[in-house]
Amino acid sequence: MNFKIEKNEQYALIELNETALTQDNYADFENIIRQLFRAGYGNVIVKFDEIVELDGHGVSVIRKGNKICLNELGLFIIVTKNDEIIDQLDRAKIEDLTIMPTVQEAIDAVFLNELENDFQSEDEDEFGGGEYSESEEDY
């Protein structure tokens, strides 16, 4: 599989230099995703600019990658403007899959997701044993 990976503190960007994600190469793509996950990447952006063919195997590996990232409160983002690929992924009904038209919008989505996760974590701390858990005697 011909690809390039750019690693950042918050995400990994995979640029696929292939025209298809099919039975012929989906296992290679799955291995790339698993290696990134083992290296601690919960946010993965996949640049699909060259992809024009996607079969059931390709959809399946996208579903797996998406599930791995969601379990880590991250995002698995497909970057494409190809309407046929977008329609195919929509029909696959992959839960909470994020599809963006540009890499910059995908990066923005990762940062927004990280902020949301931080705020939710702070809220849980506040109400679950933080500053608001003082006894009523303090009032």
Side-chain angles (χ1 to χ4, degrees):
M1 172 164 265
N2 191 3
F3 65 94
K4 185 173 87 176
I5 296 179
E6 176 186 319
K7 296 177 182 176
N8 182 298
E9 190 176 321
Q10 276 80 21
Y11 63 87
L13 170 63
I14 305 169
E15 186 175 333
L16 292 181
N17 296 319
E18 298 280 338
T19 58
L21 183 56
T22 61
Q23 182 175 2
D24 297 334
N25 61 1
Y26 83 97
D28 294 336
F29 185 59
E30 185 172 350
N31 286 333
I32 295 165
I33 293 168
R34 290 186 187 280
Q35 288 172 359
L36 289 171
F37 175 69
R38 282 188 211 111
Y41 289 94
N43 294 300
V44 177
I45 300 170
V46 185
K47 195 171 175 188
F48 254 48
D49 286 355
E50 305 294 319
I51 301 288
V52 293
E53 183 183 354
L54 183 66
D55 71 3
H57 295 279
V59 170
S60 176
V61 74
I62 290 169
R63 187 181 312 276
K64 287 177 188 176
N66 187 57
K67 186 171 184 167
I68 288 170
C69 290
L70 289 177
N71 285 342
E72 294 299 312
L73 300 177
L75 293 176
F76 188 86
I77 305 173
I78 300 295
V79 176
T80 185
K81 293 179 184 176
N82 183 322
D83 290 333
E84 291 176 25
I85 297 291
I86 293 169
D87 290 344
Q88 188 174 356
L89 291 171
D90 284 344
R91 283 192 307 272
K93 297 186 183 335
I94 300 171
E95 183 182 348
D96 294 326
L97 177 65
T98 305
I99 303 171
M100 294 285 179
T102 67
V103 170
Q104 186 56 55
E105 288 176 274
I107 292 169
D108 291 346
V110 165
F111 284 108
L112 286 172
N113 187 60
E114 293 287 316
L115 283 172
E116 262 182 41
N117 290 341
D118 289 346
F119 284 133
Q120 287 177 352
S121 172
E122 286 176 14
D123 285 348
E124 289 171 7
D125 290 346
E126 267 183 32
F127 298 111
E131 64 182 279
Y132 296 110
S133 66
E134 302 295 323
S135 69
E136 289 184 19
E137 294 172 7
D138 294 339
Y139 298 104

